[in-house]
Amino acid sequence: MQKTADVIIIGGGIHGASLAFHLAQRGLKALVLEKKFLTSGATGRSSGLVRMHYDLEPESRLAWASFQYFRNWKEMVGGDCGFTRTGFLYFTHPEYVESLRANVAMHQRIGIPSLLVEAADVKRLAPAFATDDFEFAAYEPESGYADPSASTNTFIEIARQRGAQLLQDCTVTDILVSAGRVSGVKTTQGDFSAPLVINAAGAWAAGVARLVGLDIPVDTWRHDTMFIKRPAGMAPSHPTAIDDANSMYFRPESGGLTLVGLEDQNPLGESPEGYTDRSQPGFVERAIERICRRIPLMEQGSLQSSHGGYDGITPDQRAILGPAGPDGFYLVCGFSGTGFKIAPAVGACLAEWILDGKPTTVDVTPFALARFESGEKLVGEHAYKDIWH
Ligand SMILES: Cc1cc2nc3c(=O)[nH]c(=O)nc-3n(C[C@H](O)[C@H](O)[C@H](O)COP(=O)(O)OP(=O)(O)OC[C@H]3O[C@@H](n4cnc5c(N)ncnc54)[C@H](O)[C@@H]3O)c2cc1C
């Protein structure tokens, strides 16, 4: 077996691609191994929301550092990530208004354009939205959504121009470890060697970790989304929103469409090989009922399509990042249904961790696997309830 790469990355989603890009920037040649095709996992199904509103400061910092990429993709990466600025609104339950206030203050301290607005302001921003069930919302005027497939493809394209390789239709079946250190992988296309192996396998990450004897608390999480055609009477677009009061999020899409996802009834523990070409029974009815609560005019809209996807989820619904298990093995997984928008900065941080011994773009050491070993969970200082419930 010949030395084939500086680093082997298992998984061709946004995180494998971002890391390959950032390693290439630092002169390391990654080999990305993908069992199906690029973006065939969660990334290809992602709703692509790009916002900075989290209740955990390191996550907001990751989203803010990543936002610089989305906004300046051509200069920072190359090509186009399809970023569309729509503005972003966060509606929370009335009992979390003080947390909302504190979290907006935390975002402002970091430098994120975020402000607390009143219901009347929301009405001006989005005349079609019902605004009678809340007093305050958080507003991020610069946020919106991006195209996860285009983002992944451009990361990989530029990485390949700088020496990275991508092998698709290539399943990693074993990870080779000798003297406590990873040395390569076995795959359906032969064996490859490298001194560093990265688990960026999304909903499959627990199985990949088991190949080195590591148990990680990453379960599978299924999530459905729906596209609805907006009625003619609505304005051409509307802000993106997370609407905790209705356990829902939504954003506009081109062609007069609105994408809707729900925070509840996302099944855990299913095989990630489950069907994704359609949503689960009952999802569309629930999603229509919720979106019509927030945007009553949508009663005159029409269903366009719906589908599902799988991501890996952890007990605190936050990612697992950094070295774990044998020397040279790294985890970049457990993104818990919110990992797209932070991928650019996560890739930068992991490249720093690998090459410099510590992440500096953002201190992501709190996301290490060790937190679960000591029974800790990452919780925001002014926490809302878990987004997925
Ligand atoms: C429906 C849906 C909507 C979402 N909406 C948003 C959103 O609006 N905003 C946001 O920030 N996040 C969102 N997310 C979450 C986000 O999309 C994910 O966190 C992110 O895409 C995960 O990227 P990844 O690269 O870690 O995993 P994936 O994209 O799943 O990539 C992992 C890859 O690993 C491959 N693989 C697995 N095992 C092996 C193996 N043994 N050998 C080789 N390859 C292997 C898989 O085929 C897969 O392609 C959403 C997720 C879903 C499912």
Side-chain angles (χ1 to χ4, degrees):
M1 185 167 62
Q2 288 189 326
K3 182 174 186 300
T4 52
D6 297 322
V7 184
I8 288 172
I9 299 175
I10 305 171
I14 186 71
H15 283 281
S18 173
L19 182 54
F21 168 83
H22 285 95
L23 289 171
Q25 272 195 323
R26 301 279 305 268
L28 248 62
K29 292 180 177 44
L31 170 63
V32 180
L33 302 175
E34 165 52 51
K35 73 185 176 79
K36 284 174 93 179
F37 53 89
L38 211 57
T39 75
S40 57
T43 302
R45 292 303 195 185
S46 183
S47 306
L49 265 66
V50 172
R51 46 98 187 176
M52 281 70 80
H53 194 106
Y54 280 93
D55 60 10
L56 186 75
E57 185 167 334
E59 255 175 335
S60 288
R61 286 188 180 276
L62 279 173
W64 178 226
S66 296
F67 181 74
Q68 313 312 320
Y69 289 71
F70 289 117
R71 189 167 51 181
N72 306 298
W73 201 265
K74 195 162 183 280
E75 295 74 32
M76 291 183 75
V77 181
D80 189 2
C81 70
F83 178 69
T84 306
R85 180 184 162 203
T86 62
F88 168 78
L89 286 160
Y90 187 89
F91 306 119
T92 188
H93 295 275
E95 70 261 36
Y96 291 110
V97 166
E98 286 317 308
S99 295
L100 187 78
R101 208 182 284 282
N103 287 324
V104 167
M106 178 263 283
H107 301 148
Q108 290 175 343
R109 178 165 50 75
I110 294 173
I112 295 169
S114 175
L115 58 154
L116 202 67
V117 294
E118 296 181 2
D121 302 316
V122 173
K123 201 71 188 170
R124 277 190 288 275
L125 287 164
F129 288 13
T131 54
D132 49 1
D133 60 330
F134 62 89
E135 263 188 275
F136 298 103
Y139 180 51
E140 293 177 2
E142 302 298 326
S143 297
Y145 65 93
D147 177 340
S149 294
S151 308
T152 307
N153 274 284
T154 47
F155 266 146
I156 283 285
E157 194 182 317
I158 305 298
R160 286 171 78 181
Q161 286 169 15
R162 295 175 189 167
Q165 281 180 280
L166 166 69
L167 261 187
Q168 302 182 87
D169 205 8
C170 178
T171 303
V172 172
T173 54
D174 204 1
I175 298 173
L176 307 169
V177 180
S178 58
R181 180 163 197 106
V182 293
S183 57
V185 297
K186 284 185 181 298
T187 81
T188 48
Q189 292 195 35
D191 299 352
F192 301 94
S193 77
L196 297 162
V197 176
I198 317 295
N199 179 354
W204 296 261
V208 167
R210 271 195 296 278
L211 297 176
V212 296
L214 195 61
D215 264 333
I216 60 171
V218 176
D219 205 349
T220 63
W221 169 86
R222 186 199 163 93
H223 184 62
D224 294 325
T225 54
M226 160 188 95
F227 287 97
I228 186 167
K229 178 95 182 150
R230 291 192 293 275
M234 264 183 80
S237 191
H238 58 75
T240 294
I242 291 183
D243 184 352
D244 282 349
N246 288 305
S247 288
M248 163 182 72
Y249 68 86
F250 56 92
R251 68 158 173 86
E253 174 56 83
S254 54
L257 300 176
T258 291
L259 180 156
V260 185
L262 300 182
E263 296 174 353
D264 58 344
Q265 296 189 43
N266 296 285
L268 303 181
E270 288 187 0
S271 161
E273 307 295 341
Y275 67 91
T276 55
D277 57 337
R278 61 194 191 282
S279 56
Q280 308 163 93
F283 164 76
V284 163
E285 291 78 359
R286 289 188 297 120
I288 288 175
E289 201 259 319
R290 307 261 182 103
I291 192 72
C292 290
R293 262 191 241 160
R294 181 58 68 206
I295 311 180
L297 261 178
M298 284 290 197
E299 281 177 16
Q300 295 157 39
S302 53
L303 177 67
Q304 209 251 3
S305 62
S306 69
H307 61 225
Y310 290 93
D311 200 1
I313 192 165
T314 70
D316 59 10
Q317 304 192 358
R318 324 271 189 197
I320 305 180
L321 304 176
D327 288 347
F329 189 65
Y330 284 76
L331 300 171
V332 188
C333 56
F335 287 99
S336 305
T338 69
F340 169 67
K341 69 184 74 60
I342 57 172
V346 167
C349 291
L350 262 291
E352 290 156 1
W353 211 334
I354 289 166
L355 283 158
D356 310 329
K358 67 172 183 161
T360 44
T361 294
V362 173
D363 178 9
V364 290
T365 53
F367 294 93
L369 176 66
R371 73 183 186 274
F372 297 114
E373 288 158 3
S374 54
E376 283 167 38
K377 286 185 174 183
L378 281 176
V379 180
E381 203 181 331
H382 300 279
Y384 305 121
K385 73 173 179 187
D386 285 344
I387 182 161
W388 313 118
H389 47 268

